[in-house]
Structure formats: C-alpha cells, structure tokens
Amino acid sequence: MSDERNGVFGPEAVEAMGHAFDLACVRLGESDSKLREAIAFKIVSAARGGESDPNRLCERALASDKAVA
C-alpha cells in the first residue's frame, strides 16, 4: 500500500511519474539539470495531490514550468 501524501509511492505511481518525467524532458528538449529538477519536483507534487496519469502529470509540470522559468 502506498501513501502518496506522505511521500511513499507504490510501484505504479513511480512508473507513472517516471514516464511523465521522460515525456516532459523530451517535449522540453532541455538537458539543464536545474530545469529537470524543477520538473521532477512538480511531477512529484502533482502525484502527491492524487494525479496518477502520466500525460496529465507531464502537462501539469510543463504548464507550471512557464511560471517558474
């Protein structure tokens, strides 16, 4: 059992977050480590909020990225 709100994720959530991160990095075409770190943080935050779809996790991370960059 996973408890995403406390930062403990089950295998399915980890897989979804990894896929979302890969999607975001490909779409950004960026290799900047600070940007990649920010994207990862935003994906984890969205997953903690209950999102589990990799495409929506990616979209949320990229949408919020514009406000940070």
Side-chain angles (χ1 to χ4, degrees), residues 26-43:
V26 167
R27 288 186 50 194
L28 285 173
E30 289 286 335
S31 61
D32 179 89
S33 63
K34 293 279 187 194
L35 181 57
R36 291 170 61 94
E37 183 179 329
I39 292 298
F41 179 79
K42 292 168 188 174
I43 288 170

